[in-house]
Amino acid sequence: MSERDPSQIDLFTGAPSATPARGRRRGQEEPVGPAEQPEDVRALGQQLHPGLYLGTSSWTFPGWKGLVYDRGATPSRLAREGLAAYAQHPVLRTVGVDRTFYAPIPASTFAEYAAQVPEGFRFLVKAHEACTLARWPLHQRYGDLRGQFNDRFLDAAYARDLVVAPFVEGLGEKAGPLVFQLPPQDPRDLGGVGPFVERLHTFLAALPRGPLYAVELRNEALLTDTLAQALSDVGVCPVLAAWKDMPQVELQAVRMRALQAPALVVRWMLPPHLDYEEARKRYFPFDRLVEEDVRTREAIARASVAALGAGKPVFVTLNNKAEGSAPLSAVLLARSVMSRTRNTPHVDS
């Protein structure tokens, strides 16, 4: 693995790390600002339940000119300047930080993110993949580790020091869910379903108390009642993953007891009939809705309303590959949730 300081490059976009501008020199362009929003979108944002946190998987997409940003900009520029503008969108109250899946980042970088957003904003952060890969993939970026078993898999000490500590220190009250995403893996590499659940329970129980933890699985075979009980026992949220090879969201919610967790956490990533590359090619540059997935949207809306009605916060991040444009999907989801919300209690995350 590269020894490059992970704070120097965004491993999700390949761009320099997103740090706030230190002030413009003479002749430099004006910073990226927020796009002007239609009156109905502004009104929707003012009406949103305070416990509802909707957002996108990242903020570095040039195709969002006029939707989120007031001008065109490269991904690297948006990585540096776009977050503050993104956070002014009336509906977007959270954002996914995916770069942390590929390498840990220091508390100082998290603090820079937090400084760019308002008080009510929350970050959904992925834990480093070293915590959740039983065996390193065969991809060339893993170098000599390719195909080998990972000795940091479900290592609570590593997670505590390299993942949880900087997350808590840097984001403070703006920390939302910390997601441990387990990519699709051979159950044999996990030691079998039963031993894996026991090991995951031990790992989660050993993490520092306080943060909102969530676990996302990409193997349907692991969505068992035993796993649901293990997560419930340690107060960890299951992530409802709207993804091609997973059951429908409402089925996941029932299997994993999602509405009994401390919060509802949903990641809407792909339509049921496309893989990642197919969706990317079909939907790029992510500036419009290409194929609306009303069924998934309404399922997420129903679960969100149920959680809000139970006094629990809701975190939903949406990917451009879900319908074609994540910000537009978020607006439609917000409308669906609000149309169903009647006298639900307000909650603080």
Side-chain angles (χ1 to χ4, degrees):
M1 305 273 302
S2 171
E3 295 299 319
R4 182 192 294 263
D5 182 348
S7 68
Q8 300 303 308
I9 187 168
D10 188 327
L11 295 177
F12 178 63
T13 64
S17 61
T19 56
R22 304 294 187 184
R24 290 185 294 113
R25 297 178 181 176
R26 184 175 299 176
Q28 286 184 325
E29 294 180 272
E30 290 289 329
V32 174
E36 182 68 24
Q37 297 297 324
E39 182 177 350
D40 63 326
V41 175
R42 295 198 302 270
L44 178 64
Q46 293 172 353
Q47 298 164 6
L48 281 186
H49 193 290
L52 180 63
Y53 298 92
L54 304 181
T56 67
S57 296
S58 182
W59 65 87
T60 59
F61 300 100
W64 292 356
K65 175 185 176 183
L67 298 177
V68 176
Y69 304 117
D70 65 352
R71 67 196 65 202
T74 63
S76 60
R77 186 178 178 196
L78 291 174
R80 295 190 303 272
E81 302 178 15
L83 180 57
Y86 169 99
Q88 294 183 58
H89 190 286
V91 171
L92 304 179
R93 297 177 173 175
T94 189
V95 73
V97 181
D98 282 0
R99 63 176 290 198
T100 47
F101 183 73
Y102 302 100
I105 63 175
S108 59
T109 301
F110 279 125
E112 289 169 351
Y113 289 159
Q116 297 176 69
V117 301
E119 289 301 318
F121 196 91
R122 298 290 182 269
F123 290 88
L124 183 149
V125 176
K126 283 188 182 181
H128 185 210
E129 63 181 343
C131 298
T132 55
L133 282 172
R135 186 194 293 268
W136 296 107
L138 296 176
H139 193 282
Q140 62 181 4
R141 78 181 183 89
Y142 295 98
D144 293 340
L145 294 176
R146 286 180 294 179
Q148 296 186 27
F149 280 101
N150 169 26
D151 58 8
R152 290 177 176 171
F153 177 57
L154 298 183
D155 181 337
Y158 177 83
R160 180 194 64 218
D161 296 341
L162 275 296
V163 175
V164 179
F167 168 80
V168 171
E169 179 184 346
L171 292 180
E173 294 183 354
K174 295 174 183 176
L178 178 59
V179 176
F180 291 91
Q181 176 193 313
L182 285 94
Q185 300 176 70
D186 188 331
R188 293 173 296 183
D189 289 344
L190 300 174
V193 176
F196 162 71
V197 171
E198 293 181 8
R199 187 172 178 183
L200 178 65
H201 180 274
T202 300
F203 167 78
L204 295 170
L207 296 179
R209 295 298 90 193
L212 179 64
Y213 298 117
V215 169
E216 178 181 336
L217 298 167
R218 300 284 186 87
N219 290 57
E220 182 178 359
L222 299 177
L223 301 184
T224 63
D225 188 67
T226 303
L227 178 61
Q229 181 59 49
L231 297 183
S232 176
D233 183 60
V234 290
V236 172
C237 304
V239 176
L240 305 184
W243 186 64
K244 178 182 176 183
D245 295 325
M246 293 294 286
Q248 293 289 342
V249 166
E250 56 266 45
L251 181 56
Q252 293 183 50
V254 172
R255 285 189 187 179
M256 301 308 296
R257 310 178 193 174
L259 294 178
Q260 299 174 34
L264 180 69
V265 184
V266 183
R267 295 183 66 237
W268 185 5
M269 292 166 284
L270 287 171
H273 62 292
L274 295 175
D275 64 24
Y276 182 92
E277 282 303 317
E278 290 173 328
R280 185 187 65 81
K281 292 176 182 178
R282 184 175 299 191
Y283 299 158
F284 186 83
F286 314 127
D287 57 354
R288 63 189 178 92
L289 294 176
V290 179
E291 294 178 287
E292 293 190 35
D293 183 358
V294 177
R295 188 186 192 286
T296 298
R297 182 193 309 147
E298 294 306 302
I300 295 172
R302 288 192 296 271
S304 298
V305 171
L308 293 172
K312 299 177 180 183
V314 172
F315 299 88
V316 183
T317 58
L318 306 97
N319 196 294
N320 283 320
K321 290 83 178 175
E323 297 184 301
S325 180
L328 295 177
S329 293
V331 169
L332 291 182
L333 178 59
R335 286 177 176 152
S336 182
V337 171
M338 294 310 297
S339 72
R340 298 169 179 272
T341 303
R342 295 291 185 273
N343 300 319
T344 54
H346 289 180
V347 295
D348 296 321
S349 67

